[in-house]
Amino acid sequence: MTFSQLPQLALVVLSIATLFTLLTACENSISKEDRPVAIAEEQPESEVKMVAHEADDGLEVVTLGSGCFWCTEAVFRELKGVKSAVSGYSGGAVPNPTYKAVCTGTTGHAEVIQVTFDPEVIPFTDILKVFWETHDPTTLNRQGADVGTQYRSAVFYHNEKQKEEATAYKKQLDESGQFKSPIVTEITEFQKFYPAEDYHQDYFKLNPNQQYCQFVIRPKLEKFRSKFSEKLKSEENTKEKSE
């Protein structure tokens, strides 16, 4: 190596050092609270009670899986006619699953929301329309960066009418060519629902500045609001404070 080559070598070393510093800073800027799996590692092994799936007063219930339940819950809570959207787990074989266990992908459960709605205000077909148009139902066991069977697309129907309507709607979507690939959403009879731990409920509203909420949930929610504006509850009851 000649003396004249030293400045070039110094520049290369400096560039590598700068890149390493930036990558380290980026990694450290994302706290454990911004990683769902990291949160799961800290989740206490407490039992979760199963809730009944019957509704009263003419209301109806359906259980839906479309990726991270933080996203799905935030969407469905804003629909007129939806009385509640509870985050939880369904479709698995292990009783009383915790978030930590579900995140391993070994319990068979999907992250879901259990939606209680008034069919006189929002018919089940509208529930299905929102469900299929607010996630990618063509990616098996995956939604974006969330990968695993717990993120699968699923309709857990609570009665034969829901089964028939969901099956027909799925067939209609596939035949329409709305999606470039076949829909892989499973349509399965509902068995049990376990509500997720308390801190998962209404997560987006309570944690609007958290990075996952800012960069994953918020853009999805804004797109949903624009597309389904006529089906939303009044703004003061749905939109979180931006301050």
Side-chain angles (χ1 to χ4, degrees):
M1 179 181 294
T2 64
F3 182 78
S4 62
Q5 292 175 310
L6 287 177
Q8 295 177 343
L9 177 62
L11 181 60
V12 170
V13 171
L14 180 60
S15 298
I16 294 174
T18 301
L19 178 61
F20 178 78
T21 300
L22 289 173
L23 290 174
T24 302
C26 180
E27 175 70 16
N28 291 337
S29 69
I30 303 178
S31 66
K32 284 187 176 182
E33 286 72 21
D34 295 317
R35 299 187 184 116
V37 174
I39 296 176
E41 293 172 353
E42 300 172 358
Q43 182 62 37
E45 296 284 354
S46 59
E47 284 197 351
V48 184
K49 293 182 179 179
M50 182 182 72
V51 297
H53 62 277
E54 299 298 333
D56 298 321
D57 302 324
L59 301 181
E60 195 170 336
V61 179
V62 67
T63 305
L64 304 170
S66 57
C68 173
F69 47 29
W70 293 347
C71 298
T72 313
E73 181 197 271
V75 166
F76 277 85
R77 279 178 178 265
E78 297 200 353
L79 288 171
K80 287 186 292 189
V82 169
K83 302 302 180 181
S84 67
V86 181
S87 291
Y89 318 111
S90 196
V94 177
N96 299 316
T98 62
Y99 187 52
K100 179 179 180 179
V102 172
C103 278
T104 67
T106 61
T107 71
H109 293 88
E111 285 195 13
V112 299
I113 58 166
Q114 186 142 285
V115 182
T116 301
F117 62 99
D118 184 347
E120 294 295 323
V121 179
I122 181 168
F124 185 57
T125 51
D126 282 357
I127 294 287
L128 292 173
K129 180 177 177 63
V130 172
F131 165 73
W132 266 307
E133 294 191 22
T134 53
H135 79 291
D136 185 350
T138 69
T139 53
L140 185 63
N141 301 328
R142 178 171 190 161
Q143 286 299 307
D146 294 327
V147 181
T149 56
Q150 65 271 31
Y151 299 114
R152 65 188 184 271
S153 177
V155 175
F156 296 99
Y157 60 86
H158 288 239
N159 54 57
E160 284 301 308
K161 184 172 182 291
Q162 287 185 356
K163 176 184 179 181
E164 292 172 4
E165 292 188 0
T167 301
Y169 204 124
K170 177 182 175 181
K171 183 174 183 290
Q172 176 186 328
L173 285 174
D174 265 332
E175 292 176 347
S176 72
Q178 180 172 332
F179 297 99
K180 294 181 180 179
S181 300
I183 294 173
V184 296
T185 304
E186 68 172 77
I187 299 176
T188 306
E189 183 178 8
F190 172 84
Q191 297 295 329
K192 295 180 180 179
F193 171 78
Y194 299 92
E197 294 78 357
D198 287 346
Y199 81 95
H200 288 297
Q201 309 301 333
D202 215 2
Y203 192 87
F204 178 71
K205 181 178 179 181
L206 297 176
N207 303 274
N209 297 319
Q210 193 252 29
Q211 291 192 37
Y212 191 87
C213 294
Q214 286 281 344
F215 299 112
V216 178
I217 303 178
R218 186 182 296 278
K220 180 174 183 175
L221 194 55
E222 289 175 350
K223 183 178 180 180
F224 155 74
R225 287 169 176 166
S226 175
K227 188 167 188 176
F228 293 96
S229 58
E230 76 285 355
K231 297 185 184 299
L232 301 182
K233 297 173 183 175
S234 58
E235 183 173 330
E236 60 269 20
N237 292 330
T238 58
K239 292 190 178 180
E240 77 290 346
K241 300 292 183 180
S242 59
E243 296 77 20

